[in-house]
Amino acid sequence: MASYMTMPLLIFNLGGEMIYVLRQRLGAQAIDQLKAQQVLNEVTASLFDEKFITALFCPQRLLSFAETKAIFRRIAHCSIMKLNETSMGKLYDLMTMVFKFQVLGCRSPKDILQVTKLHLNTIRSYVNASVRTLIDSCQSRLDKTYGKWPLGRFWPVRQTLLDFCHNRNVKVSLLLQENLQRQNARMVVCLNGPCPKETRLPGTVRHFGPSGDLIDEYRTAGIGLFDIAAPTEYDEERYEQVQELYGANLYSKFRGTESSSVPETESKENDRATDEEKAQMASEELKHLAALIKPARHSSGFRLNLFAAANDSLEFVPSTENEDSACDGKVADESDIEHDEVFIDARAARQTIQQRFDDLDLERVESGGAKVADDEDFDLLEMMDRAVASGAPRTHK
């Protein structure tokens, strides 16, 4: 089945978006240029490692959302840069939401292959010669695998990718400011402009005779009281201009390298993997893929909070079914569903003392009316009791 060959397209496109975000954030936080370049080289080399790529091109089911996140967490940490869980979560949100926008924007399922190639070509300009060799090898395998596919084989691939992005409702400031996303986190897709090469112009009615001959042909002016999009006949130059947005580095295109773009909303349900996903994460397939990612060898590294200057509070905004879905030939995607409104505070500064102790996950055992940990040398309460018993001076007010 064609859908069993979706993994390479998913990993390469998400990996391309990860490189875009890392490059933009490293520049925005004024990280040393040599270290920033080393991070990009090491992460890209891990993403396009030959053994890892060979495993990706084997026919297989698409990994779950949580499994894919685990793969990219390992890839991101194959460099001298280390990300905390909050930064990794926001990075993955940016990757998936921009990729969702790209998949929805592809007018033909076959355009997904062109989006993937644009990601590879752009990444190639960010890394050194040794890593470019890995990308060239990957691109050759991509052409060999998908180059001769007919249009029909790309339809299940597109549907599989849409299923992967389904129910991801995260607002991204960059998309919002460029009017590519609505306040309810739905994507805005333009339906005007040229049709794909293999598609006839919509709105044409044809009548055929008993022998199959065309008898009459005319175009409809509209559908009742509804306004429809205004597509035009295929034009190669215009079509490329419309599609060049998908797969390009949006951060450089719209804001330059010094901008910041962070996910503004997050679904609490999406952050928590279900029991089934946790079981899948422990499967042999995931372990095999993760084992193929080679960690980079380096003597020292640094920790980076990718979105240090951004607001860390996250909230999920439910979709609104009654909101207008069309405006000036643009419609929002219908892949989202309603949820209860959930607010999540990810700022460590607002944690209570009890929450901080809970984060330590200490095993507590009742002993003589006092709670002590397994290792008494690290139990602050036990140490205080010892100090009092030994006659340590106490002060009273």
Side-chain angles (χ1 to χ4, degrees):
M1 293 179 62
S3 60
Y4 276 69
M5 292 301 297
T6 308
M7 272 293 293
L9 299 177
L10 174 68
I11 296 298
F12 295 156
N13 284 288
L14 288 180
E17 291 302 320
M18 180 176 69
I19 299 299
Y20 292 169
V21 176
L22 290 178
R23 182 173 182 268
Q24 187 268 335
R25 294 310 303 165
L26 290 170
Q29 297 195 20
I31 302 299
D32 180 73
Q33 187 174 359
L34 293 178
K35 287 186 176 181
Q37 186 61 50
Q38 183 178 355
V39 168
L40 295 180
N41 289 335
E42 291 175 348
V43 171
T44 307
S46 299
L47 177 63
F48 295 100
D49 179 75
E50 292 184 1
K51 292 184 178 180
F52 180 59
I53 296 302
T54 301
L56 283 181
F57 276 93
C58 296
Q60 58 192 295
R61 67 172 181 84
L62 194 67
L63 294 181
S64 69
F65 199 84
E67 289 174 329
T68 307
K69 183 177 181 179
I71 290 292
F72 279 102
R73 181 187 293 110
R74 187 180 180 102
I75 291 176
H77 290 167
C78 283
S79 68
I80 60 174
M81 174 194 64
K82 303 302 177 185
L83 303 177
N84 58 36
E85 190 62 28
T86 300
S87 292
M88 187 65 216
K90 291 185 177 183
L91 171 62
Y92 193 60
D93 286 337
L94 283 174
M95 293 160 51
T96 53
M97 289 307 295
V98 175
F99 179 57
K100 179 180 180 179
F101 166 72
Q102 294 167 349
V103 176
L104 290 171
C106 289
R107 304 192 171 206
S108 169
K110 204 168 185 178
D111 291 338
I112 296 175
L113 181 60
Q114 301 303 320
V115 171
T116 308
K117 290 182 178 181
L118 182 55
H119 273 117
L120 298 184
N121 290 332
T122 307
I123 295 174
R124 194 177 184 278
S125 63
Y126 296 159
V127 296
N128 58 26
S130 60
V131 183
R132 290 174 189 170
T133 303
L134 297 176
I135 299 178
D136 293 340
S137 176
C138 177
Q139 196 160 15
S140 298
R141 183 171 297 197
L142 200 69
D143 293 333
K144 183 178 180 181
T145 303
Y146 302 99
K148 296 183 179 181
W149 273 25
L151 176 64
R153 295 198 68 182
F154 282 97
W155 278 105
V157 171
R158 181 180 185 272
Q159 186 59 49
T160 303
L161 292 175
L162 289 175
D163 290 341
F164 177 84
C165 299
H166 178 68
N167 201 28
R168 295 302 299 175
N169 303 312
V170 182
K171 290 193 294 185
V172 179
S173 60
L174 175 67
L175 299 179
L176 289 170
Q177 293 177 10
E178 297 299 328
N179 296 321
L180 302 176
Q181 189 179 30
R182 297 189 183 277
Q183 288 297 327
N184 62 358
R186 289 189 178 186
M187 297 300 177
V188 177
V189 179
C190 180
L191 300 181
N192 295 327
C195 295
K197 183 177 182 180
E198 62 278 354
T199 304
R200 292 183 177 181
L201 188 65
T204 302
V205 180
R206 298 177 178 86
H207 295 271
F208 296 88
S211 60
D213 298 333
L214 181 64
I215 299 177
D216 189 15
E217 178 178 339
Y218 59 90
R219 288 190 51 79
T220 59
I223 305 177
L225 300 177
F226 298 94
D227 294 329
I228 61 175
T232 59
E233 293 284 358
Y234 172 76
D235 180 85
E236 183 176 0
E237 183 177 355
R238 288 190 59 198
Y239 191 81
E240 291 179 354
Q241 292 176 353
V242 172
Q243 293 298 118
E244 68 179 3
L245 179 65
Y246 307 111
N249 189 340
L250 299 184
Y251 312 102
S252 297
K253 185 178 183 62
F254 291 133
R255 293 184 173 181
T257 58
E258 297 302 324
S259 63
S260 63
S261 179
V262 299
E264 295 186 355
T265 65
E266 176 62 52
S267 171
K268 185 177 181 180
E269 296 176 2
N270 291 328
D271 258 358
R272 297 180 178 178
T274 63
D275 293 338
E276 180 181 355
E277 289 177 330
K278 291 179 180 179
Q280 291 175 344
M281 290 179 66
S283 65
E284 292 298 325
E285 181 180 359
L286 177 59
K287 292 180 180 179
H288 176 64
L289 285 176
L292 293 176
I293 303 174
K294 293 184 178 179
R297 297 181 179 180
H298 44 75
S299 57
S300 61
F302 66 95
R303 294 186 177 274
L304 176 65
N305 185 353
L306 285 180
F307 309 97
N311 183 3
D312 284 338
S313 61
L314 306 178
E315 62 176 345
F316 173 72
V317 177
S319 58
T320 305
E321 294 295 336
N322 296 327
E323 182 171 351
D324 294 337
S325 60
C327 179
D328 298 330
K330 299 184 179 181
V331 300
D333 72 277
E334 300 297 334
S335 62
D336 305 311
I337 61 176
E338 291 187 356
H339 296 274
D340 295 332
E341 185 173 356
V342 179
F343 293 91
I344 306 173
D345 189 356
R347 284 176 285 190
R350 290 192 177 182
Q351 286 185 326
T352 64
I353 297 298
Q354 183 60 42
Q355 288 174 332
R356 293 182 182 275
F357 272 107
D358 291 341
D359 290 343
L360 295 177
D361 194 21
L362 298 175
E363 182 180 359
R364 299 178 179 180
V365 181
E366 295 289 343
S367 176
K371 294 181 179 180
V372 296
D374 290 338
D375 190 350
E376 293 184 353
D377 292 336
F378 292 94
D379 193 326
L380 295 179
L381 297 179
E382 181 68 18
M383 294 174 63
M384 293 172 64
D385 290 340
R386 289 180 181 178
V388 173
S390 62
R394 303 174 61 183
T395 59
H396 301 274
K397 292 185 180 180

